[in-house]
Amino acid sequence: MDEKEKSQENVAPEVQAEQVDSESKNNGVEADSEMTRKVIFSLCYLWGILFFIPLLMYKGDAKATRHANEGLLLLLFSVVGNIVFGILTRVTWIFSIIAAVYSLAILVLGIIGIVYIVTDKDQELPLIGKIKLLK
């Protein structure tokens, strides 16, 4: 019998229940905290304008900065691409097809970013992950 089991024998059942509850609460807090981080990081990819939230909530965290950077990049590429293709679609209809493919690519990059967050992969987004606007 190890020391923990010996100490548990001498403790009243109510105290044992409280110890188990406090241990499960601590694990729950850590799980909630990690889930909250994932949700906040995912907001960067869902709505690019919310890229600054991880920067405010997790100052100095490298992961938060990376996800905020990628969210900002997706926002900028989306806005600039929509403006450029909005102008070019007035020239000929072929640009509307290219604009649709471009928008789909931005959407796929956002989904890839969310999948990386949910599966705890610490990878940069393909194509745009190397660009650093936030340091």
Side-chain angles (χ1 to χ4, degrees), residues 89-107:
T89 54
R90 298 187 189 275
V91 175
T92 182
W93 63 272
I94 201 79
F95 285 113
S96 63
I97 295 172
I98 297 170
V101 171
Y102 182 80
S103 294
L104 182 64
I106 297 292
L107 175 68

Side-chain angles (χ1 to χ4, degrees), residues 38-56:
K38 287 181 180 183
V39 169
I40 290 171
F41 292 164
S42 296
L43 290 176
C44 294
Y45 297 102
L46 286 175
W47 296 286
I49 195 71
L50 299 177
F51 74 90
F52 61 90
I53 292 177
L55 293 176
L56 295 176

Side-chain angles (χ1 to χ4, degrees), residues 22-34:
S22 68
E23 289 174 7
S24 64
K25 285 180 185 176
N26 288 341
N27 291 337
V29 169
E30 291 174 12
D32 287 344
S33 175
E34 185 62 29

Side-chain angles (χ1 to χ4, degrees), residues 53-133:
I53 292 177
L55 293 176
L56 295 176
M57 292 187 70
Y58 304 106
K59 292 179 182 176
D61 186 5
K63 269 187 161 182
T65 304
R66 184 172 56 82
H67 292 300
N69 183 64
E70 291 176 352
L72 175 61
L73 286 170
L74 285 176
L75 174 67
L76 291 176
F77 277 107
S78 178
V79 168
V80 170
N82 284 329
I83 291 171
V84 168
F85 285 120
I87 293 169
L88 292 177
T89 54
R90 298 187 189 275
V91 175
T92 182
W93 63 272
I94 201 79
F95 285 113
S96 63
I97 295 172
I98 297 170
V101 171
Y102 182 80
S103 294
L104 182 64
I106 297 292
L107 175 68
V108 168
L109 285 174
I111 291 171
I112 290 171
I114 293 171
V115 168
Y116 284 170
I117 290 170
V118 171
T119 59
D120 291 326
K121 289 186 179 177
D122 196 22
Q123 296 179 349
E124 297 176 335
L125 281 179
L127 303 175
I128 65 170
K130 301 276 186 223
I131 303 170
K132 303 290 183 219
L133 297 178

